Amino acid sequence: FALECRNRNPSLGVYLSNISAFVYFCQALFLVVLQFLRLVSIFEGSIFAVSNCTKIIFSMCTCFGVISFVCAIFVPFFNDILLVTAWSLYIMAMAYLNGLFIHKVMTVHRKDRSNASNNDDLVDIAIKNLLLCLISTSSIIVFMACYIFIVPAINSPHFLLATNTVFFIADIHTNFFSVLLMFAYFGPWYTWLCGCCHSACHRLCDLYTQSVCKLTRAHIDVKMLHANQS
């Protein structure tokens, strides 16, 4: 509809396109914020809790991103700059969130294996949410890359239609299931859909923990050797 309006009335078409982009931006941002709140709640009250500094940085990225996108709709003179700023902040927030999940998962898993602590449930929950976060953000990045870079390069109405239908619908459904599978009630669905990836992440964490332990022991042995020689 927005594309048809752009052909008949360019100014109205651009305005509707911006509104559509803003709605998509809001749902994508809502998903990222929800996943960040989930990350905070998982480790709340433990030694792995998310710091206040991390919360402030993430909140600033999301707030400035929303402000830039809103201004891009109502301030046409700086439309391109504000849109680039908004999407850049959003990508930074996604990268920051995925990095936090990976860091927390590795830290909890290493602590659990090295100290024989009872954090198995916490490790499983962290890996589950890490996988769902990676899946949803990857889907958003693929759709954005197709719409922003590939569609203008190919300049084909058929590819644009495919992007607006196949990729967009796939992205929306991926985001929906990523939120749905966060809840414990849908645990069997998660096991059925993502069980193999969950086990693979566990094996990767085991390999990482073993390599870190080997490096730590080697470093300690070198220090003891130097101490004995001196």
Side-chain angles (χ1 to χ4, degrees):
F1 177 72
L3 294 173
E4 183 65 24
C5 289
R6 177 176 290 183
N7 294 330
R8 298 186 179 183
N9 189 336
S11 60
L12 178 61
V14 171
Y15 182 77
L16 290 176
S17 296
N18 288 338
I19 294 295
S20 302
F22 180 71
V23 172
Y24 178 80
F25 179 81
C26 287
Q27 70 87 22
L29 186 65
F30 170 77
L31 179 65
V32 172
V33 171
L34 181 64
Q35 289 170 334
F36 181 77
L37 294 176
R38 180 67 173 160
L39 173 68
V40 172
S41 64
I42 289 172
F43 300 104
E44 192 71 32
S46 68
I47 59 174
F48 311 105
V50 179
S51 65
N52 291 329
C53 180
T54 300
K55 296 176 184 176
I56 292 172
I57 293 174
F58 185 84
S59 301
M60 288 176 62
C61 286
T62 53
C63 288
F64 281 124
V66 172
I67 292 171
S68 300
F69 219 112
V70 171
C71 292
I73 296 175
F74 297 104
V75 184
F77 300 104
F78 302 101
N79 181 277
D80 293 337
I81 297 175
L82 291 171
L83 284 176
V84 170
T85 302
W87 283 114
S88 298
L89 289 171
Y90 176 73
I91 292 172
M92 287 172 57
M94 282 199 304
Y96 193 53
L97 177 62
N98 283 284
L100 280 173
F101 262 117
I102 293 172
H103 173 70
K104 292 296 182 182
V105 167
M106 293 300 185
T107 303
V108 174
H109 191 275
R110 187 171 68 249
K111 186 80 172 179
D112 181 59
R113 293 296 182 268
S114 60
N115 294 345
S117 56
N118 191 18
N119 290 324
D120 288 338
D121 292 339
L122 189 60
V123 171
D124 284 332
I125 294 173
I127 290 177
K128 173 183 177 179
N129 284 270
L130 167 63
L131 272 177
L132 295 176
C133 182
L134 288 173
I135 291 170
S136 60
T137 52
S138 299
S139 173
I140 292 171
I141 289 173
V142 169
F143 173 73
M144 287 171 53
C146 288
Y147 199 83
I148 296 174
F149 300 108
I150 301 178
V151 169
I154 296 179
N155 195 21
S156 169
H158 303 290
F159 188 78
L160 178 60
L161 179 63
T163 301
N164 288 334
T165 53
V166 178
F167 291 105
F168 179 74
I169 293 173
D171 178 52
I172 295 297
H173 281 79
T174 301
N175 295 341
F176 172 74
F177 279 107
S178 295
V179 175
L180 199 69
L181 296 177
M182 286 182 184
F183 300 99
Y185 180 81
F186 299 98
W189 287 26
Y190 172 80
T191 304
W192 179 59
L193 292 171
C194 307
C196 294
C197 295
H198 189 96
S199 300
C201 284
H202 256 299
R203 289 194 293 270
L204 287 174
C205 290
D206 285 334
L207 290 174
Y208 170 77
T209 302
Q210 291 172 7
S211 62
V212 170
C213 290
K214 289 180 181 178
L215 289 173
T216 303
R217 285 196 296 268
H219 182 68
I220 293 174
D221 291 340
V222 170
K223 289 182 66 175
M224 292 179 62
L225 180 62
H226 286 308
N228 292 333
Q229 289 178 351
S230 61

